[in-house]
């Protein structure tokens, strides 16, 4: 029964992802991109047929799922979805190899936004829509979407979402996990719709507005323009994207609390306070640093706030080449690469909450030196944190930076200089996108050897699923009965 349940859930997940291909397919029809019809129709039809066959074959079978299967389902659903997403890209003829198409798809679904392309405006509009759509699907999570749509996954649904969502603390905002998933996706959809309307009013055409709204709320960073958001040279568009990147980096549970009028939950949220403080300090520091470049305070604030929101939320959009900024400004941006957004958001990165916990642990250890017999606890949201969470954060920190070290070495083997390899590793594992050096905002990842691209694919999905969901398969204990 366990195997039957596994294939049933996996087929449903793939069918839902395949069904979303109707969006780029519609764009292909609208713009008469006839060469793109079959690249979308074939994987879409294959996923739906696979789901239909499995559903029919298991219609009278009971439904069950083990803990081990939970991790395998989540990992395989992501990997299979990204492979499926790579086929339309490859058969579009816009990519030199399947490796490049696979890298672009992994980067899209994991919301990394690192691209191998130097020219995106010449792509079919349907291909650009697929790239941005993959951000949106991966942002809130493929499994979370499935749990929201399919009530039958209520059995073990919380375990599935725990294996996919970000942050050290994972809970429900409502009593039922299916309702929680629906609430989160509703918030996500409404924010996306609101940004789409704002961008349309600000001057983008329908497809560009939708593409950038999907990429922004998914905190991915793929754009339909070679110079990203900077190509529009619009103050209104810059402000809209800045605001929604900032909102996408906040824990989506807080939006539910806002609607439910649970203002105390928002007021006492330690991570939100730290998130706001980081933004204010970084924006102030960069604005002062680039003031000699842009001459006026308003222009400096415009560019600094956009880039801070972009990198802290791990979106990766750009309106300027920050490598041309003074080194003092680059310092603040470099720090943001190590932070990321809030837990429970669509952002990647290490997460603000973990730095808050580590900071409080350091504070407690310092206090113990002054008061050896004192008892100190880490408190978040005015409540004590369980010791296992603090221990888990410390372990995750070691694992996270260990993966960055290995990924840095892989980059060096690919003939990157140490600076580019290290910042690229931080960006890839943190799902940021652009980095520094040869991987800065004006460059791309296309020149890297294939073996580096394949490793980066692994690092991207490991970072998106917060390491353990992927790395657990390398532990002998997982495969023991």
């Amino acid at each position: 029964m366990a195997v039957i349940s596994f294939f049933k859930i996996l087929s449903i997940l793939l069918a839902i992802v395949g069904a979303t291909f109707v969006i780029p397919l519609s764009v292909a029809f609208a713009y008469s991109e006839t060469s793109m019809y079959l690249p979308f129709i074939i994987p879409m039809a294959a996923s739906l047929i696979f789901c239909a066959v499995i559903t029919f074959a298991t219609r009278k079978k009971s439904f069950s799922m083990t803990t081990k299967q939970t991790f395998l389902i989540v990992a395989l659903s992501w990997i299979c979805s990204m492979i499926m997403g790579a086929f339309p890209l490859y058969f579009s003829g816009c990519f030199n190899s399947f490796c490049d198409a696979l890298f672009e798809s992994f980067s899209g679904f994991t919301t990394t936004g690192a691209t191998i392309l130097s020219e995106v405006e010449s792509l079919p509009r349907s291909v650009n829509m697929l790239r941005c759509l993959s951000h949106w699907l991966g942002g809130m999570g493929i499994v979370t979407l499935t749990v929201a749509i399919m009530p039958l996954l209520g059995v073990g649904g919380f375990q599935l979402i725990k294996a996919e969502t970000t942050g050290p603390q994972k809970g429900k905002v409502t009593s039922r996990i299916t309702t929680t998933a629906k609430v989160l996706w509703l918030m996500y959809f409404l924010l996306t719709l609101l940004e789409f309307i704002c961008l349309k009013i600000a001057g983008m055409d329908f497809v560009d507005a939708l593409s950038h709204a999907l990429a922004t709320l998914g905190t991915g960073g793929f754009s339909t323009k070679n110079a990203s958001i900077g190509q529009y040279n619009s103050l209104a568009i810059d402000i809209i994207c800045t605001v929604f990147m900032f909102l996408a980096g906040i824990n989506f549970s807080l939006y539910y609390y806002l609607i439910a009028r649970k203002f105390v939950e928002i007021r006492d949220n330690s991570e939100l306070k730290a998130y706001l403080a980081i933004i204010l300090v970084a924006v102030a520091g960069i604005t002062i640093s680039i003031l000699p470049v842009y001459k006026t305070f308003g222009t400096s604030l415009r560019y600094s706030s956009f880039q801070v929101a972009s990198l802290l939320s791990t979106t990766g959009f750009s309106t300027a080449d920050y490598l041309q900024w003074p080194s003092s400004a680059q310092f603040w941006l470099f720090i943001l690469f190590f932070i990321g957004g809030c837990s429970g958001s669509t952002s990647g990165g290490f997460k603000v909450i973990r730095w808050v916990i580590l900071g409080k642990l350091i504070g407690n250890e310092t206090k113990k030196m002054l008061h050896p017999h004192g008892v100190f606890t880490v408190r978040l949201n005015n409540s004590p944190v369980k010791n296992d969470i603090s221990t888990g954060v410390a372990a995750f920190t070691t694992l996270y930076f260990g993966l960055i070290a290995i990924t840095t070495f892989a980059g060096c083997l690919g003939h990157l200089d140490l600076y580019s390899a290290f910042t690229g590793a931080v960006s890839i594992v943190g799902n940021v996108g652009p980095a520094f050096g040869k991987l800065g905002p004006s460059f791309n990842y296309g020149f890297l050897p294939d073996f580096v691209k394949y490793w980066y694919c692994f690092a991207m999905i490991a970072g998106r699923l917060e390491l353990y969901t992927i790395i657990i398969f390398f532990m002998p204990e997982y495969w023991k009965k």
Side-chain angles (χ1 to χ4, degrees), residues 177-198:
I177 190 59
T178 52
T179 304
T180 295
K182 289 175 182 177
V183 166
L184 294 176
W185 267 94
L186 179 61
M187 299 295 102
Y188 191 43
F189 174 80
L190 291 177
L191 284 172
T192 305
L193 179 62
L194 181 59
E195 187 188 2
F196 163 71
I197 294 172
C198 291

Side-chain angles (χ1 to χ4, degrees), residues 5 29 60 62 69 111 194 205 317-318 355 404:
S5 300
F29 277 116
K60 296 181 180 180
S62 59
Q69 276 189 305
T111 75
L194 181 59
D205 67 32
F317 282 148
S318 64
W355 287 117
I404 287 176

